[in-house]
Amino acid sequence: MSKSIVDHRYFIWAILALPSIPMIGALASGQPGPNGMPMTEMLLHPTGEFSARFLIIAMMLTPLRMLFPGSGFLRWLMKRRRYFGVAAFFYALFHTVLYIVDMGSLRAILGEFLALGIWTGWLAMVVFVPLTITSTDDAIRRLGPRWKTLQRTVYIVAVATLLHWIFVHNNFGPALVHFVPLAGLEIYRVLHNFRKRSTRPQAA
C-alpha cells in the first residue's frame, strides 16, 4: 500500500510542490516582507533557487546512475526524472511572473533587458518552454529520435541559469555551490562514455 502511494505521480507532484506552499501563502497574506520589502521581490530568489535545484537534480541523475549502477533509489528517481524537470520549469515560471509584477511595467523590464544577468534569465525561460511542452509520453513517441536532440538544449538552460544567478546577485559562491557538483558529474559522464567507446571492439 505504502509503495503504491510513494510511486503515485500525485505523491511526487505533492512533494515537489511543497516549497511553493509557504511562498503562495506569503503572497496571499498581502503583507510586506522584512523592512517593508514587497513580497514579490522577496520571493524572487527562493523561486529561482528552487527552479535551479530541481533542474540540477534532473540533470545529475544520469551521471549518478553511471557512477552507482546498482542503486535502487537512483533507478527509482530516473523513472521520475521528467517530474523534476517540469517542476523546475514551473518554479522558473513563478519566478518570472514575480519579476514582471515587481518591475511593474514593460518599459522598466525593457530598460534592463540587455544586462547580462537579465537576458540570460529570459533565455533560460524561453528554451525551457519547448522542453516542458515535449515532456509527455505522447511527445516522446511523436518526436522519436528528435526528442533527445531537443532535450540536449537543457544545457543551454543550465548555463544561462548559472550566469543569471551569478550576475543578478554579483556573487559567485552560492551559484557555484549548486552547479559545480553538476559540472563534475557531467565531466565524469563525458569521460565514461569516451572510455566506453574507445574500448568497444571494432568491427572487422
mmCIF file with all atom_site columns, all heavy atoms in Angstrom, residues 55-56 58-59 85 124 127-128 131 148-161 179 182 186 189:
data_model
loop_
_atom_site.group_PDB
_atom_site.id
_atom_site.type_symbol
_atom_site.label_atom_id
_atom_site.label_alt_id
_atom_site.label_comp_id
_atom_site.label_asym_id
_atom_site.label_entity_id
_atom_site.label_seq_id
_atom_site.pdbx_PDB_ins_code
_atom_site.Cartn_x
_atom_site.Cartn_y
_atom_site.Cartn_z
_atom_site.occupancy
_atom_site.B_iso_or_equiv
_atom_site.pdbx_formal_charge
_atom_site.auth_seq_id
_atom_site.auth_comp_id
_atom_site.auth_asym_id
_atom_site.auth_atom_id
_atom_site.pdbx_PDB_model_num
ATOM 1   N N   . LEU A 1 55  ? 16.228 21.593 -11.535 1.00 0.00 ? 55  LEU A N   1
ATOM 2   C CA  . LEU A 1 55  ? 16.907 21.401 -12.817 1.00 0.00 ? 55  LEU A CA  1
ATOM 3   C C   . LEU A 1 55  ? 18.193 20.603 -12.625 1.00 0.00 ? 55  LEU A C   1
ATOM 4   O O   . LEU A 1 55  ? 18.481 19.658 -13.371 1.00 0.00 ? 55  LEU A O   1
ATOM 5   C CB  . LEU A 1 55  ? 17.219 22.759 -13.446 1.00 0.00 ? 55  LEU A CB  1
ATOM 6   C CG  . LEU A 1 55  ? 18.088 22.749 -14.711 1.00 0.00 ? 55  LEU A CG  1
ATOM 7   C CD1 . LEU A 1 55  ? 17.333 22.119 -15.876 1.00 0.00 ? 55  LEU A CD1 1
ATOM 8   C CD2 . LEU A 1 55  ? 18.530 24.176 -15.069 1.00 0.00 ? 55  LEU A CD2 1
ATOM 9   N N   . ILE A 1 56  ? 18.970 20.976 -11.637 1.00 0.00 ? 56  ILE A N   1
ATOM 10  C CA  . ILE A 1 56  ? 20.238 20.299 -11.357 1.00 0.00 ? 56  ILE A CA  1
ATOM 11  C C   . ILE A 1 56  ? 20.000 18.832 -11.001 1.00 0.00 ? 56  ILE A C   1
ATOM 12  O O   . ILE A 1 56  ? 20.704 17.941 -11.483 1.00 0.00 ? 56  ILE A O   1
ATOM 13  C CB  . ILE A 1 56  ? 20.997 21.030 -10.233 1.00 0.00 ? 56  ILE A CB  1
ATOM 14  C CG1 . ILE A 1 56  ? 21.522 22.377 -10.747 1.00 0.00 ? 56  ILE A CG1 1
ATOM 15  C CG2 . ILE A 1 56  ? 22.148 20.178 -9.699  1.00 0.00 ? 56  ILE A CG2 1
ATOM 16  C CD1 . ILE A 1 56  ? 22.007 23.305 -9.660  1.00 0.00 ? 56  ILE A CD1 1
ATOM 17  N N   . ALA A 1 58  ? 17.501 16.927 -11.900 1.00 0.00 ? 58  ALA A N   1
ATOM 18  C CA  . ALA A 1 58  ? 17.103 16.214 -13.118 1.00 0.00 ? 58  ALA A CA  1
ATOM 19  C C   . ALA A 1 58  ? 18.311 15.896 -13.994 1.00 0.00 ? 58  ALA A C   1
ATOM 20  O O   . ALA A 1 58  ? 18.407 14.810 -14.584 1.00 0.00 ? 58  ALA A O   1
ATOM 21  C CB  . ALA A 1 58  ? 16.089 17.041 -13.903 1.00 0.00 ? 58  ALA A CB  1
ATOM 22  N N   . MET A 1 59  ? 19.264 16.833 -14.075 1.00 0.00 ? 59  MET A N   1
ATOM 23  C CA  . MET A 1 59  ? 20.431 16.632 -14.927 1.00 0.00 ? 59  MET A CA  1
ATOM 24  C C   . MET A 1 59  ? 21.482 15.728 -14.289 1.00 0.00 ? 59  MET A C   1
ATOM 25  O O   . MET A 1 59  ? 22.275 15.081 -14.988 1.00 0.00 ? 59  MET A O   1
ATOM 26  C CB  . MET A 1 59  ? 21.048 17.989 -15.278 1.00 0.00 ? 59  MET A CB  1
ATOM 27  C CG  . MET A 1 59  ? 20.149 18.870 -16.124 1.00 0.00 ? 59  MET A CG  1
ATOM 28  S SD  . MET A 1 59  ? 20.915 20.458 -16.534 1.00 0.00 ? 59  MET A SD  1
ATOM 29  C CE  . MET A 1 59  ? 22.213 19.926 -17.672 1.00 0.00 ? 59  MET A CE  1
ATOM 30  N N   . GLY A 1 85  ? 12.194 17.978 -13.949 1.00 0.00 ? 85  GLY A N   1
ATOM 31  C CA  . GLY A 1 85  ? 12.356 18.978 -14.999 1.00 0.00 ? 85  GLY A CA  1
ATOM 32  C C   . GLY A 1 85  ? 11.145 19.879 -15.133 1.00 0.00 ? 85  GLY A C   1
ATOM 33  O O   . GLY A 1 85  ? 11.275 21.101 -15.258 1.00 0.00 ? 85  GLY A O   1
ATOM 34  N N   . ALA A 1 124 ? 16.966 31.339 -20.605 1.00 0.00 ? 124 ALA A N   1
ATOM 35  C CA  . ALA A 1 124 ? 16.686 30.071 -19.934 1.00 0.00 ? 124 ALA A CA  1
ATOM 36  C C   . ALA A 1 124 ? 15.190 29.774 -19.958 1.00 0.00 ? 124 ALA A C   1
ATOM 37  O O   . ALA A 1 124 ? 14.771 28.642 -20.233 1.00 0.00 ? 124 ALA A O   1
ATOM 38  C CB  . ALA A 1 124 ? 17.194 30.119 -18.493 1.00 0.00 ? 124 ALA A CB  1
ATOM 39  N N   . VAL A 1 127 ? 13.943 28.772 -23.612 1.00 0.00 ? 127 VAL A N   1
ATOM 40  C CA  . VAL A 1 127 ? 14.363 27.426 -24.005 1.00 0.00 ? 127 VAL A CA  1
ATOM 41  C C   . VAL A 1 127 ? 13.631 26.369 -23.178 1.00 0.00 ? 127 VAL A C   1
ATOM 42  O O   . VAL A 1 127 ? 13.348 25.264 -23.661 1.00 0.00 ? 127 VAL A O   1
ATOM 43  C CB  . VAL A 1 127 ? 15.895 27.262 -23.870 1.00 0.00 ? 127 VAL A CB  1
ATOM 44  C CG1 . VAL A 1 127 ? 16.328 25.845 -24.232 1.00 0.00 ? 127 VAL A CG1 1
ATOM 45  C CG2 . VAL A 1 127 ? 16.615 28.274 -24.748 1.00 0.00 ? 127 VAL A CG2 1
ATOM 46  N N   . PHE A 1 128 ? 13.299 26.723 -21.947 1.00 0.00 ? 128 PHE A N   1
ATOM 47  C CA  . PHE A 1 128 ? 12.589 25.811 -21.056 1.00 0.00 ? 128 PHE A CA  1
ATOM 48  C C   . PHE A 1 128 ? 11.202 25.430 -21.601 1.00 0.00 ? 128 PHE A C   1
ATOM 49  O O   . PHE A 1 128 ? 10.714 24.322 -21.357 1.00 0.00 ? 128 PHE A O   1
ATOM 50  C CB  . PHE A 1 128 ? 12.406 26.476 -19.690 1.00 0.00 ? 128 PHE A CB  1
ATOM 51  C CG  . PHE A 1 128 ? 12.894 25.652 -18.535 1.00 0.00 ? 128 PHE A CG  1
ATOM 52  C CD1 . PHE A 1 128 ? 13.434 26.275 -17.422 1.00 0.00 ? 128 PHE A CD1 1
ATOM 53  C CD2 . PHE A 1 128 ? 12.791 24.269 -18.548 1.00 0.00 ? 128 PHE A CD2 1
ATOM 54  C CE1 . PHE A 1 128 ? 13.887 25.526 -16.332 1.00 0.00 ? 128 PHE A CE1 1
ATOM 55  C CE2 . PHE A 1 128 ? 13.230 23.511 -17.472 1.00 0.00 ? 128 PHE A CE2 1
ATOM 56  C CZ  . PHE A 1 128 ? 13.775 24.149 -16.359 1.00 0.00 ? 128 PHE A CZ  1
ATOM 57  N N   . LEU A 1 131 ? 10.981 22.398 -23.951 1.00 0.00 ? 131 LEU A N   1
ATOM 58  C CA  . LEU A 1 131 ? 11.390 21.216 -23.195 1.00 0.00 ? 131 LEU A CA  1
ATOM 59  C C   . LEU A 1 131 ? 10.240 20.697 -22.341 1.00 0.00 ? 131 LEU A C   1
ATOM 60  O O   . LEU A 1 131 ? 10.025 19.486 -22.222 1.00 0.00 ? 131 LEU A O   1
ATOM 61  C CB  . LEU A 1 131 ? 12.591 21.554 -22.300 1.00 0.00 ? 131 LEU A CB  1
ATOM 62  C CG  . LEU A 1 131 ? 13.920 21.810 -22.997 1.00 0.00 ? 131 LEU A CG  1
ATOM 63  C CD1 . LEU A 1 131 ? 14.970 22.247 -21.988 1.00 0.00 ? 131 LEU A CD1 1
ATOM 64  C CD2 . LEU A 1 131 ? 14.384 20.574 -23.742 1.00 0.00 ? 131 LEU A CD2 1
ATOM 65  N N   . LYS A 1 148 ? 15.404 13.447 -28.148 1.00 0.00 ? 148 LYS A N   1
ATOM 66  C CA  . LYS A 1 148 ? 16.671 13.525 -27.415 1.00 0.00 ? 148 LYS A CA  1
ATOM 67  C C   . LYS A 1 148 ? 17.487 14.732 -27.859 1.00 0.00 ? 148 LYS A C   1
ATOM 68  O O   . LYS A 1 148 ? 18.150 15.380 -27.039 1.00 0.00 ? 148 LYS A O   1
ATOM 69  C CB  . LYS A 1 148 ? 17.476 12.237 -27.604 1.00 0.00 ? 148 LYS A CB  1
ATOM 70  C CG  . LYS A 1 148 ? 16.987 11.083 -26.756 1.00 0.00 ? 148 LYS A CG  1
ATOM 71  C CD  . LYS A 1 148 ? 18.000 9.963  -26.721 1.00 0.00 ? 148 LYS A CD  1
ATOM 72  C CE  . LYS A 1 148 ? 17.564 8.882  -25.744 1.00 0.00 ? 148 LYS A CE  1
ATOM 73  N NZ  . LYS A 1 148 ? 18.561 7.793  -25.642 1.00 0.00 ? 148 LYS A NZ  1
ATOM 74  N N   . THR A 1 149 ? 17.453 15.037 -29.151 1.00 0.00 ? 149 THR A N   1
ATOM 75  C CA  . THR A 1 149 ? 18.173 16.214 -29.655 1.00 0.00 ? 149 THR A CA  1
ATOM 76  C C   . THR A 1 149 ? 17.627 17.479 -29.011 1.00 0.00 ? 149 THR A C   1
ATOM 77  O O   . THR A 1 149 ? 18.392 18.356 -28.584 1.00 0.00 ? 149 THR A O   1
ATOM 78  C CB  . THR A 1 149 ? 18.033 16.309 -31.188 1.00 0.00 ? 149 THR A CB  1
ATOM 79  O OG1 . THR A 1 149 ? 18.555 15.116 -31.781 1.00 0.00 ? 149 THR A OG1 1
ATOM 80  C CG2 . THR A 1 149 ? 18.795 17.515 -31.730 1.00 0.00 ? 149 THR A CG2 1
ATOM 81  N N   . LEU A 1 150 ? 16.304 17.576 -28.935 1.00 0.00 ? 150 LEU A N   1
ATOM 82  C CA  . LEU A 1 150 ? 15.673 18.737 -28.294 1.00 0.00 ? 150 LEU A CA  1
ATOM 83  C C   . LEU A 1 150 ? 16.039 18.810 -26.820 1.00 0.00 ? 150 LEU A C   1
ATOM 84  O O   . LEU A 1 150 ? 16.344 19.896 -26.305 1.00 0.00 ? 150 LEU A O   1
ATOM 85  C CB  . LEU A 1 150 ? 14.152 18.657 -28.459 1.00 0.00 ? 150 LEU A CB  1
ATOM 86  C CG  . LEU A 1 150 ? 13.329 19.745 -27.762 1.00 0.00 ? 150 LEU A CG  1
ATOM 87  C CD1 . LEU A 1 150 ? 13.675 21.125 -28.330 1.00 0.00 ? 150 LEU A CD1 1
ATOM 88  C CD2 . LEU A 1 150 ? 11.834 19.459 -27.903 1.00 0.00 ? 150 LEU A CD2 1
ATOM 89  N N   . GLN A 1 151 ? 16.034 17.665 -26.145 1.00 0.00 ? 151 GLN A N   1
ATOM 90  C CA  . GLN A 1 151 ? 16.310 17.655 -24.710 1.00 0.00 ? 151 GLN A CA  1
ATOM 91  C C   . GLN A 1 151 ? 17.730 18.101 -24.381 1.00 0.00 ? 151 GLN A C   1
ATOM 92  O O   . GLN A 1 151 ? 17.989 18.582 -23.276 1.00 0.00 ? 151 GLN A O   1
ATOM 93  C CB  . GLN A 1 151 ? 16.050 16.258 -24.132 1.00 0.00 ? 151 GLN A CB  1
ATOM 94  C CG  . GLN A 1 151 ? 14.592 15.850 -24.109 1.00 0.00 ? 151 GLN A CG  1
ATOM 95  C CD  . GLN A 1 151 ? 13.740 16.773 -23.255 1.00 0.00 ? 151 GLN A CD  1
ATOM 96  O OE1 . GLN A 1 151 ? 14.037 16.997 -22.088 1.00 0.00 ? 151 GLN A OE1 1
ATOM 97  N NE2 . GLN A 1 151 ? 12.679 17.308 -23.846 1.00 0.00 ? 151 GLN A NE2 1
ATOM 98  N N   . ARG A 1 152 ? 18.630 17.969 -25.347 1.00 0.00 ? 152 ARG A N   1
ATOM 99  C CA  . ARG A 1 152 ? 20.014 18.411 -25.085 1.00 0.00 ? 152 ARG A CA  1
ATOM 100 C C   . ARG A 1 152 ? 20.111 19.922 -24.928 1.00 0.00 ? 152 ARG A C   1
ATOM 101 O O   . ARG A 1 152 ? 21.108 20.428 -24.417 1.00 0.00 ? 152 ARG A O   1
ATOM 102 C CB  . ARG A 1 152 ? 20.945 17.931 -26.208 1.00 0.00 ? 152 ARG A CB  1
ATOM 103 C CG  . ARG A 1 152 ? 21.162 16.421 -26.204 1.00 0.00 ? 152 ARG A CG  1
ATOM 104 C CD  . ARG A 1 152 ? 22.255 15.998 -27.157 1.00 0.00 ? 152 ARG A CD  1
ATOM 105 N NE  . ARG A 1 152 ? 22.362 14.544 -27.198 1.00 0.00 ? 152 ARG A NE  1
ATOM 106 C CZ  . ARG A 1 152 ? 21.881 13.777 -28.173 1.00 0.00 ? 152 ARG A CZ  1
ATOM 107 N NH1 . ARG A 1 152 ? 21.275 14.349 -29.213 1.00 0.00 ? 152 ARG A NH1 1
ATOM 108 N NH2 . ARG A 1 152 ? 22.015 12.468 -28.126 1.00 0.00 ? 152 ARG A NH2 1
ATOM 109 N N   . THR A 1 153 ? 19.083 20.652 -25.360 1.00 0.00 ? 153 THR A N   1
ATOM 110 C CA  . THR A 1 153 ? 19.107 22.112 -25.153 1.00 0.00 ? 153 THR A CA  1
ATOM 111 C C   . THR A 1 153 ? 18.971 22.471 -23.679 1.00 0.00 ? 153 THR A C   1
ATOM 112 O O   . THR A 1 153 ? 19.097 23.643 -23.317 1.00 0.00 ? 153 THR A O   1
ATOM 113 C CB  . THR A 1 153 ? 17.986 22.803 -25.961 1.00 0.00 ? 153 THR A CB  1
ATOM 114 O OG1 . THR A 1 153 ? 16.709 22.316 -25.537 1.00 0.00 ? 153 THR A OG1 1
ATOM 115 C CG2 . THR A 1 153 ? 18.151 22.556 -27.455 1.00 0.00 ? 153 THR A CG2 1
ATOM 116 N N   . VAL A 1 154 ? 18.742 21.462 -22.824 1.00 0.00 ? 154 VAL A N   1
ATOM 117 C CA  . VAL A 1 154 ? 18.701 21.722 -21.388 1.00 0.00 ? 154 VAL A CA  1
ATOM 118 C C   . VAL A 1 154 ? 20.044 22.278 -20.906 1.00 0.00 ? 154 VAL A C   1
ATOM 119 O O   . VAL A 1 154 ? 20.099 23.002 -19.902 1.00 0.00 ? 154 VAL A O   1
ATOM 120 C CB  . VAL A 1 154 ? 18.320 20.444 -20.602 1.00 0.00 ? 154 VAL A CB  1
ATOM 121 C CG1 . VAL A 1 154 ? 19.454 19.434 -20.592 1.00 0.00 ? 154 VAL A CG1 1
ATOM 122 C CG2 . VAL A 1 154 ? 17.904 20.788 -19.181 1.00 0.00 ? 154 VAL A CG2 1
ATOM 123 N N   . TYR A 1 155 ? 21.137 21.970 -21.636 1.00 0.00 ? 155 TYR A N   1
ATOM 124 C CA  . TYR A 1 155 ? 22.442 22.515 -21.249 1.00 0.00 ? 155 TYR A CA  1
ATOM 125 C C   . TYR A 1 155 ? 22.474 24.031 -21.443 1.00 0.00 ? 155 TYR A C   1
ATOM 126 O O   . TYR A 1 155 ? 23.152 24.742 -20.691 1.00 0.00 ? 155 TYR A O   1
ATOM 127 C CB  . TYR A 1 155 ? 23.560 21.830 -22.037 1.00 0.00 ? 155 TYR A CB  1
ATOM 128 C CG  . TYR A 1 155 ? 23.716 20.376 -21.671 1.00 0.00 ? 155 TYR A CG  1
ATOM 129 C CD1 . TYR A 1 155 ? 23.219 19.366 -22.490 1.00 0.00 ? 155 TYR A CD1 1
ATOM 130 C CD2 . TYR A 1 155 ? 24.342 20.008 -20.484 1.00 0.00 ? 155 TYR A CD2 1
ATOM 131 C CE1 . TYR A 1 155 ? 23.344 18.031 -22.147 1.00 0.00 ? 155 TYR A CE1 1
ATOM 132 C CE2 . TYR A 1 155 ? 24.483 18.676 -20.127 1.00 0.00 ? 155 TYR A CE2 1
ATOM 133 C CZ  . TYR A 1 155 ? 23.974 17.692 -20.961 1.00 0.00 ? 155 TYR A CZ  1
ATOM 134 O OH  . TYR A 1 155 ? 24.098 16.370 -20.604 1.00 0.00 ? 155 TYR A OH  1
ATOM 135 N N   . ILE A 1 156 ? 21.746 24.523 -22.435 1.00 0.00 ? 156 ILE A N   1
ATOM 136 C CA  . ILE A 1 156 ? 21.621 25.978 -22.615 1.00 0.00 ? 156 ILE A CA  1
ATOM 137 C C   . ILE A 1 156 ? 20.913 26.572 -21.404 1.00 0.00 ? 156 ILE A C   1
ATOM 138 O O   . ILE A 1 156 ? 21.321 27.617 -20.870 1.00 0.00 ? 156 ILE A O   1
ATOM 139 C CB  . ILE A 1 156 ? 20.853 26.307 -23.912 1.00 0.00 ? 156 ILE A CB  1
ATOM 140 C CG1 . ILE A 1 156 ? 21.595 25.798 -25.135 1.00 0.00 ? 156 ILE A CG1 1
ATOM 141 C CG2 . ILE A 1 156 ? 20.590 27.809 -24.027 1.00 0.00 ? 156 ILE A CG2 1
ATOM 142 C CD1 . ILE A 1 156 ? 20.830 25.959 -26.436 1.00 0.00 ? 156 ILE A CD1 1
ATOM 143 N N   . VAL A 1 157 ? 19.854 25.897 -20.966 1.00 0.00 ? 157 VAL A N   1
ATOM 144 C CA  . VAL A 1 157 ? 19.113 26.361 -19.789 1.00 0.00 ? 157 VAL A CA  1
ATOM 145 C C   . VAL A 1 157 ? 20.027 26.400 -18.566 1.00 0.00 ? 157 VAL A C   1
ATOM 146 O O   . VAL A 1 157 ? 20.020 27.381 -17.809 1.00 0.00 ? 157 VAL A O   1
ATOM 147 C CB  . VAL A 1 157 ? 17.901 25.443 -19.512 1.00 0.00 ? 157 VAL A CB  1
ATOM 148 C CG1 . VAL A 1 157 ? 17.163 25.904 -18.253 1.00 0.00 ? 157 VAL A CG1 1
ATOM 149 C CG2 . VAL A 1 157 ? 16.949 25.429 -20.696 1.00 0.00 ? 157 VAL A CG2 1
ATOM 150 N N   . ALA A 1 158 ? 20.817 25.350 -18.383 1.00 0.00 ? 158 ALA A N   1
ATOM 151 C CA  . ALA A 1 158 ? 21.692 25.280 -17.210 1.00 0.00 ? 158 ALA A CA  1
ATOM 152 C C   . ALA A 1 158 ? 22.736 26.393 -17.205 1.00 0.00 ? 158 ALA A C   1
ATOM 153 O O   . ALA A 1 158 ? 22.928 27.069 -16.184 1.00 0.00 ? 158 ALA A O   1
ATOM 154 C CB  . ALA A 1 158 ? 22.371 23.907 -17.157 1.00 0.00 ? 158 ALA A CB  1
ATOM 155 N N   . VAL A 1 159 ? 23.405 26.593 -18.341 1.00 0.00 ? 159 VAL A N   1
ATOM 156 C CA  . VAL A 1 159 ? 24.443 27.640 -18.414 1.00 0.00 ? 159 VAL A CA  1
ATOM 157 C C   . VAL A 1 159 ? 23.818 29.025 -18.254 1.00 0.00 ? 159 VAL A C   1
ATOM 158 O O   . VAL A 1 159 ? 24.350 29.879 -17.526 1.00 0.00 ? 159 VAL A O   1
ATOM 159 C CB  . VAL A 1 159 ? 25.219 27.541 -19.739 1.00 0.00 ? 159 VAL A CB  1
ATOM 160 C CG1 . VAL A 1 159 ? 26.163 28.722 -19.900 1.00 0.00 ? 159 VAL A CG1 1
ATOM 161 C CG2 . VAL A 1 159 ? 26.008 26.235 -19.801 1.00 0.00 ? 159 VAL A CG2 1
ATOM 162 N N   . ALA A 1 160 ? 22.689 29.257 -18.915 1.00 0.00 ? 160 ALA A N   1
ATOM 163 C CA  . ALA A 1 160 ? 22.017 30.549 -18.811 1.00 0.00 ? 160 ALA A CA  1
ATOM 164 C C   . ALA A 1 160 ? 21.548 30.807 -17.375 1.00 0.00 ? 160 ALA A C   1
ATOM 165 O O   . ALA A 1 160 ? 21.649 31.934 -16.868 1.00 0.00 ? 160 ALA A O   1
ATOM 166 C CB  . ALA A 1 160 ? 20.824 30.613 -19.770 1.00 0.00 ? 160 ALA A CB  1
ATOM 167 N N   . THR A 1 161 ? 21.056 29.761 -16.710 1.00 0.00 ? 161 THR A N   1
ATOM 168 C CA  . THR A 1 161 ? 20.618 29.896 -15.314 1.00 0.00 ? 161 THR A CA  1
ATOM 169 C C   . THR A 1 161 ? 21.786 30.239 -14.408 1.00 0.00 ? 161 THR A C   1
ATOM 170 O O   . THR A 1 161 ? 21.679 31.089 -13.516 1.00 0.00 ? 161 THR A O   1
ATOM 171 C CB  . THR A 1 161 ? 19.939 28.595 -14.843 1.00 0.00 ? 161 THR A CB  1
ATOM 172 O OG1 . THR A 1 161 ? 18.792 28.339 -15.656 1.00 0.00 ? 161 THR A OG1 1
ATOM 173 C CG2 . THR A 1 161 ? 19.505 28.702 -13.387 1.00 0.00 ? 161 THR A CG2 1
ATOM 174 N N   . PHE A 1 179 ? 26.067 24.456 -8.784  1.00 0.00 ? 179 PHE A N   1
ATOM 175 C CA  . PHE A 1 179 ? 26.363 23.976 -10.138 1.00 0.00 ? 179 PHE A CA  1
ATOM 176 C C   . PHE A 1 179 ? 27.663 23.206 -10.281 1.00 0.00 ? 179 PHE A C   1
ATOM 177 O O   . PHE A 1 179 ? 27.812 22.431 -11.228 1.00 0.00 ? 179 PHE A O   1
ATOM 178 C CB  . PHE A 1 179 ? 26.344 25.153 -11.125 1.00 0.00 ? 179 PHE A CB  1
ATOM 179 C CG  . PHE A 1 179 ? 24.963 25.552 -11.554 1.00 0.00 ? 179 PHE A CG  1
ATOM 180 C CD1 . PHE A 1 179 ? 24.247 26.505 -10.864 1.00 0.00 ? 179 PHE A CD1 1
ATOM 181 C CD2 . PHE A 1 179 ? 24.369 24.951 -12.667 1.00 0.00 ? 179 PHE A CD2 1
ATOM 182 C CE1 . PHE A 1 179 ? 22.963 26.861 -11.262 1.00 0.00 ? 179 PHE A CE1 1
ATOM 183 C CE2 . PHE A 1 179 ? 23.098 25.296 -13.078 1.00 0.00 ? 179 PHE A CE2 1
ATOM 184 C CZ  . PHE A 1 179 ? 22.383 26.260 -12.370 1.00 0.00 ? 179 PHE A CZ  1
ATOM 185 N N   . LEU A 1 182 ? 27.173 19.440 -10.401 1.00 0.00 ? 182 LEU A N   1
ATOM 186 C CA  . LEU A 1 182 ? 26.621 19.048 -11.703 1.00 0.00 ? 182 LEU A CA  1
ATOM 187 C C   . LEU A 1 182 ? 27.716 19.032 -12.760 1.00 0.00 ? 182 LEU A C   1
ATOM 188 O O   . LEU A 1 182 ? 27.806 18.083 -13.557 1.00 0.00 ? 182 LEU A O   1
ATOM 189 C CB  . LEU A 1 182 ? 25.505 20.013 -12.113 1.00 0.00 ? 182 LEU A CB  1
ATOM 190 C CG  . LEU A 1 182 ? 24.946 19.829 -13.530 1.00 0.00 ? 182 LEU A CG  1
ATOM 191 C CD1 . LEU A 1 182 ? 24.330 18.456 -13.701 1.00 0.00 ? 182 LEU A CD1 1
ATOM 192 C CD2 . LEU A 1 182 ? 23.925 20.922 -13.842 1.00 0.00 ? 182 LEU A CD2 1
ATOM 193 N N   . GLU A 1 186 ? 28.913 15.833 -14.963 1.00 0.00 ? 186 GLU A N   1
ATOM 194 C CA  . GLU A 1 186 ? 28.833 15.850 -16.420 1.00 0.00 ? 186 GLU A CA  1
ATOM 195 C C   . GLU A 1 186 ? 30.200 15.543 -17.041 1.00 0.00 ? 186 GLU A C   1
ATOM 196 O O   . GLU A 1 186 ? 30.280 14.879 -18.073 1.00 0.00 ? 186 GLU A O   1
ATOM 197 C CB  . GLU A 1 186 ? 28.313 17.202 -16.911 1.00 0.00 ? 186 GLU A CB  1
ATOM 198 C CG  . GLU A 1 186 ? 26.829 17.429 -16.650 1.00 0.00 ? 186 GLU A CG  1
ATOM 199 C CD  . GLU A 1 186 ? 25.941 16.469 -17.415 1.00 0.00 ? 186 GLU A CD  1
ATOM 200 O OE1 . GLU A 1 186 ? 26.397 15.876 -18.421 1.00 0.00 ? 186 GLU A OE1 1
ATOM 201 O OE2 . GLU A 1 186 ? 24.776 16.297 -17.018 1.00 0.00 ? 186 GLU A OE2 1
ATOM 202 N N   . ARG A 1 189 ? 30.549 11.924 -16.826 1.00 0.00 ? 189 ARG A N   1
ATOM 203 C CA  . ARG A 1 189 ? 29.708 11.278 -17.833 1.00 0.00 ? 189 ARG A CA  1
ATOM 204 C C   . ARG A 1 189 ? 30.387 11.271 -19.201 1.00 0.00 ? 189 ARG A C   1
ATOM 205 O O   . ARG A 1 189 ? 30.394 10.245 -19.892 1.00 0.00 ? 189 ARG A O   1
ATOM 206 C CB  . ARG A 1 189 ? 28.373 12.019 -17.916 1.00 0.00 ? 189 ARG A CB  1
ATOM 207 C CG  . ARG A 1 189 ? 27.400 11.467 -18.945 1.00 0.00 ? 189 ARG A CG  1
ATOM 208 C CD  . ARG A 1 189 ? 26.156 12.330 -18.982 1.00 0.00 ? 189 ARG A CD  1
ATOM 209 N NE  . ARG A 1 189 ? 25.165 11.820 -19.908 1.00 0.00 ? 189 ARG A NE  1
ATOM 210 C CZ  . ARG A 1 189 ? 23.988 12.384 -20.115 1.00 0.00 ? 189 ARG A CZ  1
ATOM 211 N NH1 . ARG A 1 189 ? 23.648 13.480 -19.462 1.00 0.00 ? 189 ARG A NH1 1
ATOM 212 N NH2 . ARG A 1 189 ? 23.141 11.848 -20.971 1.00 0.00 ? 189 ARG A NH2 1
#
